[in-house]
Amino acid sequence: MTKTISIIVPCYNEQESIPLFYAAVEKVAATLPDHRIEYHFINDGSADQSLPEMRALQQQDPEHVHFISFSRNFGKEAALYAGLQAATGEYVAVMDVDLQDPPELLPEMLHGIEVEGFDCVGTRRTNRAGEPLIRSFFAKQFYKIINHISQTEIVDGARDYRLMTRQMVNAILEMSEYNRFSKGIFSWVGFDTKYLEYQNQDRVAGQTSWSFWGLFKYSLDGIVTFSETPLAIASFIGFFSFILALLALIFIVIRALLFGDPTSGWPSLVSIMLLVGGLQLLCLGIVGKYIGKIYLEVKHRPVYIIKEQK
Ligand code: UDP
Ligand code: MG
């Protein structure tokens, strides 16, 4: 029996890449006669000709190509979720459209699942060539920090590019949270995952939609959605400064009793007030970040809104 591989492809302003991506994957599909490949392109509110490109592909190959078009840009995480919900195959792959995720790995991934018995075969980049050095540096620090403070392991350099069994996809679909951090979700659901390694590839066309600031915010979101350690740090800072203040108070009272109280030292007093005030604001900020997440979560807004689907 031929098994279907559903490929989920989030696209945001990728008009040039879409036909190149389809051609490249079709080439690999031809080497997999026992499997049927089905595409789910997600147009994440592109402002260019991505949607017409998808419509054209769908008309050319209506049996295998599907697309979903959002009413606006909801972000890659939302696009992935929409794709996972639409996919019907026994196996599901998640792939970027810019060919930074080489389709040539698909047969090996399939082998990992069908022959070696893994539930998921993911990919990780062994280098970050062609990326700004400062970005690589911060990426490294991010993986260090999040793996330190979160129970969920996030593999350094792991891409979203992966092939999963239906069972694992169903587990991911159970996680209907609004604040989606896929790297964490893929790992949180468990299952046996094998990682294939490959060298970083350059985009075929277009340019990355991630700014440095965007990535920074994304990594903070990742930490907040998969770790409660920042809250613990906030409580620790509070407790620590309380103990310190108590000791200082005892010291000052005893000193005043023994030597009297020559009123001096208001500069130090002001410094201490500023320090404590700053710490309070910092901790409040951390708590606020979590409350913000809760706020978005309890509103139960849809993760995405579809305008057109085929
Ligand atoms: N993408 C998306 N919505 C967005 C941003 C990106 O669907 O808001 C898609 C994009 O079209 C691409 C994938 O997510 O297929 C990865 O984006 P990009 O190549 O910009 O990220 P990078 O590879 O640089 O991490
Ligand atoms: Mg890319």
Side-chain angles (χ1 to χ4, degrees), residues 80-132:
L80 286 182
Y81 188 52
L84 288 173
Q85 286 187 318
T88 53
E90 280 90 352
Y91 304 125
V92 177
V94 170
M95 235 166 148
D96 285 1
V97 71
D98 54 16
L99 289 177
Q100 281 188 300
D101 300 335
E104 297 75 38
L105 289 178
L106 276 174
E108 204 182 332
M109 294 166 110
L110 210 52
H111 185 270
I113 288 185
E114 293 194 324
V115 182
E116 294 168 49
F118 285 95
D119 302 297
C120 170
V121 180
T123 54
R124 57 184 290 259
R125 290 190 288 187
T126 48
N127 69 340
R128 289 176 164 267
E131 203 184 55

Side-chain angles (χ1 to χ4, degrees), residues 10-12 14 44 73 76 96-98 100 203 208-210:
C11 305
Y12 178 54
E14 304 276 9
D44 185 14
N73 179 259
K76 184 182 174 187
D96 285 1
V97 71
D98 54 16
Q100 281 188 300
R203 264 178 164 272
T208 177
S209 38
W210 287 103

Side-chain angles (χ1 to χ4, degrees), residues 1 29 214 237 241 255:
M1 209 190 85
I237 291 177
S241 53
R255 193 184 59 176

